[in-house]
Amino acid sequence: MFQSNYCISNNLFIIILFFHFYTSILIYFGTSLLLPSTSLKSYLQCPFRNKLLNHFHFKISDKTQITYGKVIHKALEVINKRIKATGEYLGDDEVKNIVENLFYTNPNIAYDRKQKLKTDKLDDIVDNVIHYYHTFGNKIKVIDSEVQFNVKNKDYGITGAIDLIYETDNGKIGLLDYKYTSSEAKYMKWHKKQLYVYVGVLKLLEEWKDREISELKVYAIKSKKLVDVPVDHDKIKEIMDEMDIVAKNINENNYPRQKDKHCNKCAFKRICG
């Protein structure tokens, strides 16, 4: 019985893998290449994993920490859009209500079958969001929040969303990226590159190409720390050139396996072999 079930599971996996491959081929050749703005990090970390996620559209179940990050991101988006509409901070009580509503309605973390409601984590999330607005978020003008983009760059497209575009009291325009992480340098390296991609993307948009981006910031949520990123136009060009190389490799179906110390934690380690 065990062997029979194993064979069925194995065959089912092969069928699912083939289906993903077949439909992805149709999508891939039916349209021009469209890269998520996070593709640079994803491809450089492991091209083969990037292929499984972005080409074959494999899914990874959300880990609890990722889900907490999504709740905070959504809360910040909702609050920022309200601030943009009203021109003022909503107040701590309303911010708390928004976060609690998003927390309780999220099916991944609201209840745990083996544990009681995780109110300790909810309190931590509320505290993080309110701390951000007390220290920075209520001192800027929100130009736009969760800014979706889909732009053509040479022979491929880039798609994604910018967490926040803001204006300071002295009229400077800035971009801010929220990250559910700490402010350690090993994380900031990739966050900096993502912000540089955003600047490069804005320069491809008619309404933004002549506007100067003077500030770049990452809000490291776990550290409750706002990290400044220098606006380095040489580095921005370098990053956009890297995007060109990634697009070229993907177009040429070049997805080598990146063997390193992180492989044992990868969700696809059994596929990779």
Side-chain angles (χ1 to χ4, degrees), residues 40 44 193 237-247:
L40 182 63
L44 292 179
K193 288 188 175 188
K237 183 182 182 306
E238 182 182 307
I239 294 301
M240 294 306 288
D241 288 342
E242 280 192 88
M243 285 290 287
D244 292 345
I245 294 170
V246 168

Side-chain angles (χ1 to χ4, degrees), residues 22-36:
Y22 181 71
T23 53
S24 296
I25 289 293
L26 291 179
I27 293 169
Y28 186 75
F29 286 104
T31 61
S32 59
L33 179 62
L34 187 62
L35 292 182

Side-chain angles (χ1 to χ4, degrees), residues 132-271:
Y132 161 74
Y133 284 104
H134 283 188
T135 56
F136 183 73
N138 64 352
K139 299 175 183 178
I140 55 173
K141 177 183 177 182
V142 174
I143 295 178
D144 213 345
S145 174
E146 196 64 18
V147 184
Q148 304 287 328
F149 58 82
N150 188 332
V151 301
K152 183 173 177 58
N153 182 37
K154 301 176 183 176
D155 57 350
Y156 65 97
I158 306 175
T159 184
I162 300 170
D163 287 343
L164 183 69
I165 303 179
Y166 66 88
E167 184 177 344
T168 64
D169 288 339
N170 57 6
K172 291 183 177 181
I173 304 297
L175 307 183
L176 192 150
D177 206 17
Y178 302 115
K179 295 296 183 185
Y180 191 60
T181 184
S182 70
S183 57
E184 294 177 54
K186 64 180 179 180
Y187 300 121
M188 288 301 118
K189 175 183 74 171
W190 294 108
H191 302 335
K192 180 192 296 186
K193 288 188 175 188
Q194 190 167 343
L195 279 167
Y196 286 166
V197 171
Y198 291 158
V199 177
V201 163
L202 288 180
K203 292 304 178 183
L204 298 172
L205 296 173
E206 188 65 31
E207 63 268 36
W208 282 100
K209 67 178 185 179
D210 296 323
R211 301 186 71 176
E212 183 68 24
I213 305 299
S214 303
E215 294 185 355
L216 300 173
K217 297 180 184 294
V218 173
Y219 185 67
I221 294 168
K222 289 184 178 180
S223 299
K224 295 183 181 177
K225 186 174 181 182
L226 196 66
V227 181
D228 290 314
V229 174
V231 181
D232 186 328
H233 292 286
D234 289 336
K235 287 290 184 183
I236 292 167
K237 183 182 182 306
E238 182 182 307
I239 294 301
M240 294 306 288
D241 288 342
E242 280 192 88
M243 285 290 287
D244 292 345
I245 294 170
V246 168
K248 180 176 182 293
N249 284 335
I250 291 174
N251 266 324
E252 294 175 353
N253 199 31
N254 184 13
Y255 292 100
R257 290 164 170 79
Q258 186 75 33
K259 297 290 187 180
D260 62 23
K261 62 182 180 180
H262 301 294
C263 290
N264 286 335
K265 298 179 181 180
C266 180
F268 304 121
K269 59 185 178 182
R270 292 187 179 181
I271 300 173

